[in-house]
Amino acid sequence: MTDRELVLRALDNRANAYAPYSKFQVGAALLCADGRVFDGCNVECGSYGATICAERTAFVSAIAAGEREFAALAVSSSGEDFCMPCGICRQFIFELAPNLRVLCANPNGEWREYSRDDLLPHAFEL
Ligand code: THU
């Protein structure tokens, strides 16, 4: 899958977001080293702290399916700007995907690429 296809898939996945509280729809698409792609969207909860981001739903699906090696993650939102992962998602990426390329897209299908260390320098590590 090309970077463009991964970004388009993340844009499509926004439509699956369950975001009745923020109305901010986020879509993600995670490309694994073996070529499989896992979809993600944000899933909100009236107990707000239980909300899970699009990036982490994609990771959780992939891990549950047995994946451990990740190549690229595209993320997009219903906002106008390039969609950047939140701090918790950056920590997830740091631990689970050291060589990940993160493609942060805007609604026009343009993207900016970041590495794990671009997103979370001086990270906490257990
Ligand atoms: N959100 C994501 O899905 N990913 C991020 O990296 C940032 C935030 C979601 C969580 C919540 O449903 C909504 O965006 C507003 O914060």
Side-chain angles (χ1 to χ4, degrees), residues 22 24 26 42 44 51-55 84-86 89:
S22 71
F24 188 77
V26 185
N42 52 333
E44 297 185 347
T51 291
I52 182 165
C53 293
E55 299 92 317
M84 301 302 295
C86 79
C89 291

Side-chain angles (χ1 to χ4, degrees), residues 13-80:
N13 287 340
R14 294 175 303 174
N16 294 329
Y18 175 73
Y21 306 107
S22 71
K23 318 269 191 231
F24 188 77
Q25 286 137 340
V26 185
L30 178 62
L31 175 65
C32 301
D34 63 6
R36 282 210 287 176
V37 176
F38 288 82
D39 296 311
C41 62
N42 52 333
V43 180
E44 297 185 347
C45 182
S47 177
Y48 299 144
T51 291
I52 182 165
C53 293
E55 299 92 317
R56 281 178 290 130
T57 59
F59 270 109
V60 166
S61 298
I63 297 268
E67 296 288 350
R68 290 293 185 273
E69 302 267 330
F70 306 104
L73 171 73
V75 55
S76 67
S77 80
S78 53
E80 286 175 13

